[in-house]
Amino acid sequence: MQEHDSKPLPDFIEYSPEEMEQRSEEFYNEIKRRHTVRMFSDRPVDRKIIENCLKAAGTAPSGANHQPWHFAVISNPEVKTAIRDAAEKEERAFYEGRAGEEWLDALSPLGTDDHKPYLEKAPWLIAIFAQQRGGVTVEEERKNYYVRESVGIATGFLINALHHSGLTTLTHTPKPMTFLNEICQRPKTEKAYILLVVGYPSDDATIPDHATIKKPLEDICSFI
Ligand code: IYR
C-alpha cells in the first residue's frame, strides 16, 4: 500500500458466529418493519433525535471520503407550506400527464396523487442535497466523485437510523425538485436528491398492499 497516515482500526467488535447469525436475523426483523408511510401525525419529534440520525447518516462511506451531501432540515411551518405549494404545483403537472402513461400505470397500486398534505403535517422535512464540488472539509472546493452513489448510501443510513429511533419516513421525490434550492437557500452546484418526510404515522395510517410485496431471497441474489 502507498505511504499514508493511518491508525489501527479503532472500534471493530468481533462476535462469535452464533452471535453474528443472531444479530443478522435481529437486524432483518427490525428493518423489515420499515414501511414507507404517507399518512403522518403532527406530533412533535425532538430535534435531538433528528440530529443523532443525521450524525449516523454522516458516517456513510463516500467517494474519496468527500461526504458530498447536505441535509437541509425544516420544521418551520411557513417553509413547510412553501415546500408543499411548490411540490404540489410540480406534481399536478406530473399526474396530469407529464409522467406518461407507463409511469402513471406503475404508480396506480400506490394510490398516490398530487395532494401532499404530509409536507405540512409531518414535524420534520429533510431536503437532501448532492454536492458536485466540495472536499473532506466544507472549506474545500474540489471535484466530488461517485456523488449519487454516496448520497444514496447516506440516505439509506438516515432512513435506517430514523426507523431504528421509532420514526416513519417517506422518500418523496417531487419532479423536478429545483424549487428546493431556492427555498432551502442552497447553491446551484447542489442538486436536490430526495425530500424525506419524517414523523410519527397517523393513528389511521395505512400502507398499500403493493408495497408489501418483497422479492424473495432467491429472486434478489445469486451465489456464484
Ligand atoms: N413524485 C410523485 C410520483 C411518485 C413516483 C414514484 I417512482 C413513486 O414510487 C411514488 C410517487 C409523488 O410523490 O407522488
Side-chain angles (χ1 to χ4, degrees):
M1 220 190 257
Q2 296 276 342
E3 190 71 23
H4 65 289
D5 295 337
S6 66
K7 54 173 67 61
L9 188 59
D11 40 19
F12 181 78
I13 299 174
E14 179 161 334
Y15 303 104
S16 68
E18 296 75 33
E19 280 178 299
M20 288 167 73
E21 191 178 324
Q22 192 186 342
R23 289 174 64 86
S24 60
E25 199 179 318
E26 281 168 4
F27 183 78
Y28 168 58
N29 284 331
E30 181 178 351
I31 201 73
K32 77 175 187 207
R33 292 190 299 100
R34 185 214 60 82
H35 305 289
T36 293
V37 161
R38 295 184 177 80
M39 297 157 86
F40 283 84
S41 154
D42 57 4
R43 249 170 99 186
V45 170
D46 282 353
R47 174 171 163 158
K48 185 72 192 161
I49 301 165
I50 305 298
E51 287 179 350
N52 284 339
C53 294
L54 291 167
K55 282 201 274 185
T59 68
S62 63
N65 193 31
H66 282 197
Q67 304 151 64
W69 42 69
H70 180 87
F71 302 96
V73 189
I74 300 119
S75 62
N76 180 312
E78 278 140 45
V79 181
K80 286 199 261 182
T81 300
I83 289 177
R84 178 180 178 179
D85 288 348
E88 285 187 335
K89 188 162 163 248
E90 298 296 357
E91 295 290 277
R92 227 167 283 135
F94 177 90
Y95 283 98
E96 275 169 13
R98 199 164 60 195
E101 205 182 318
E102 189 174 6
W103 196 345
L104 291 179
D105 186 51
L107 293 180
S108 68
L110 295 174
T112 55
D113 58 23
D114 60 356
H115 192 54
K116 307 296 182 195
Y118 45 75
L119 293 174
E120 284 184 290
K121 194 137 197 234
W124 295 99
L125 304 178
I126 305 177
I128 304 171
F129 290 88
Q131 301 173 324
Q132 286 315 315
R133 298 192 69 79
V136 76
T137 67
V138 285
E139 286 79 34
E140 290 176 36
E141 261 236 51
R142 304 162 66 189
K143 182 171 159 42
N144 286 336
Y145 304 92
Y146 297 105
V147 171
R148 292 190 76 76
E149 292 84 348
S150 303
V151 180
I153 297 167
T155 301
F157 275 35
L158 180 58
I159 293 170
N160 191 6
L162 291 161
H163 170 67
H164 184 71
S165 305
L167 293 167
T168 47
T169 56
L170 166 65
T171 34
H172 181 42
T173 49
K175 194 171 159 67
M177 278 192 273
T178 37
F179 65 84
L180 285 173
N181 285 71
E182 200 179 315
I183 295 177
C184 301
Q185 297 167 22
R186 300 309 302 170
K188 283 202 177 69
T189 50
E190 292 187 2
K191 197 171 181 325
Y193 182 76
I194 271 170
L195 179 59
L196 208 61
V197 185
V198 182
Y200 290 97
S202 66
D203 290 336
D204 59 350
T206 58
I207 54 168
D209 289 338
H210 178 78
T212 64
I213 306 166
K214 298 297 178 194
K215 290 177 182 167
L217 187 62
E218 58 270 26
D219 290 352
I220 61 167
C221 68
S222 50
F223 288 80
I224 296 144

